[in-house]
Amino acid sequence: DVKVTQSSRYLVKRTGEKVFLECVQDMDHENMFWYRQDPGLGLRLIYFSYDVKMKEKGDIPEGYSVSREKKERFSLILESASTNQTSMYLCASRQTVALYGYTFGSGTRLTVV
Amino acid sequence: AQSVTQLDSQVPVFEEAPVELRCNYSSSVSVYLFWYVQYPNQGLQLLLKYLSGSTLVESINGFEAEFNKSQTSFHLRKPSVHISDTAEYFCAVSRGGSNYKLTFGKGTLLTVNP
């Protein structure tokens, strides 16, 4: 089975801290995605990457950046964490062709205090 | 651009009752359609997908969805639900081809009561 592993299940950070959320997939997928999930708002796309060193903004990129130096790893960076970034963060990966759908990680629940 | 509307944010049902979770989409091109399920405190799992061919698609745990092009709908159904089906369900749409991202609906919370 394809595995998408998010490094932390729960994370508590202080306002202003720089936060790194890591995501690793083991099936050589080209595409990787970061979403945040909030009650009543569903999944909102933050950033995605078609391939190594490529990245594109999603619907809500403000306050975030990403890094994809290796094919298997896609990192989400909160440059200066704020309380409104408290959320569930979901990473997903997929082969290039859209028909395969996404494989999701288990999520990281981030609380910024 | 494409969009997905899940018409019900919450659907409570009793065990062994039938259920339908509604999903409508809009797109100017041909699309692939997906249903994902999220159990409490977990990530999303692919439940079923429509790519082409037969408009009725089935999952291994008794759910089915029917693609209706004229109605631009992809409703999810199950004839008899179990307590273990309690979860949030997300409908999603994608263009065909390469490197197109999924657009998700806001989700429907299915609660199955004894």
Side-chain angles (χ1 to χ4, degrees):
Chain A
D1 281 350
V2 177
K3 282 198 170 55
V4 178
T5 303
Q6 295 185 231
S7 55
S8 302
R9 190 78 180 88
Y10 298 95
L11 213 51
V12 179
K13 295 292 181 181
R14 296 196 177 277
T15 302
E17 275 193 76
K18 190 170 186 176
V19 181
F20 293 85
L21 303 184
E22 304 288 345
C23 176
V24 177
Q25 50 95 2
D26 65 358
M27 283 299 290
D28 204 35
H29 284 176
E30 292 84 6
N31 299 169
M32 296 189 75
F33 307 84
W34 274 106
Y35 287 86
R36 65 176 282 177
Q37 181 180 15
D38 300 288
L41 298 178
L43 277 73
R44 294 181 291 169
L45 182 64
I46 305 172
Y47 267 96
F48 58 106
S49 169
Y50 291 141
D51 210 333
V52 179
K53 296 192 185 296
M54 297 176 69
K55 59 186 180 185
E56 293 210 19
K57 293 180 180 180
D59 302 317
I60 52 164
E62 297 78 18
Y64 303 94
S65 63
V66 289
S67 172
R68 191 153 180 218
E69 295 297 316
K70 294 185 177 182
K71 193 172 189 179
E72 67 270 19
R73 186 181 296 271
F74 192 35
S75 303
L76 180 69
I77 303 155
L78 285 66
E79 298 291 344
S80 176
S82 64
T83 55
N84 63 11
Q85 292 178 310
T86 291
S87 186
M88 169 70 90
Y89 289 87
L90 292 167
C91 175
S93 73
R94 185 190 64 190
Q95 294 184 39
T96 302
V97 181
L99 63 87
Y100 292 108
Y102 292 0
T103 301
F104 280 87
S106 298
T108 295
R109 187 167 293 281
L110 173 67
T111 302
V112 182
V113 298
Chain B
Q2 58 216 19
S3 65
V4 178
T5 302
Q6 291 185 242
L7 294 153
D8 306 295
S9 59
Q10 298 186 50
V11 173
V13 295
F14 289 108
E15 196 173 17
E16 298 183 6
V19 70
E20 179 180 79
L21 307 184
R22 296 180 292 168
C23 172
N24 286 92
Y25 70 93
S26 67
S27 176
S28 58
V29 297
S30 294
V31 294
Y32 298 144
L33 293 157
F34 303 82
W35 275 100
Y36 283 83
V37 59
Q38 184 180 34
Y39 299 104
N41 297 313
Q42 295 186 25
L44 278 71
Q45 304 171 34
L46 181 63
L47 187 60
L48 47 76
K49 61 185 177 183
Y50 171 78
L51 306 177
S52 65
S54 173
T55 58
L56 187 67
V57 289
E58 298 177 353
S59 72
I60 58 173
N61 58 354
F63 282 94
E64 64 180 29
E66 186 161 19
F67 170 60
N68 187 320
K69 189 174 183 179
S70 62
Q71 305 273 344
T72 60
S73 68
F74 191 53
H75 300 333
L76 182 69
R77 303 185 183 97
K78 189 170 185 179
S80 176
V81 293
H82 303 290
I83 299 282
S84 59
D85 292 323
T86 294
E88 191 152 23
Y89 293 79
F90 292 91
C91 182
V93 62
S94 173
R95 287 184 62 168
S98 300
N99 294 331
Y100 290 112
K101 57 188 186 295
L102 283 177
T103 299
F104 287 88
K106 292 188 176 180
T108 298
L109 179 61
L110 173 65
T111 303
V112 181
N113 298 300

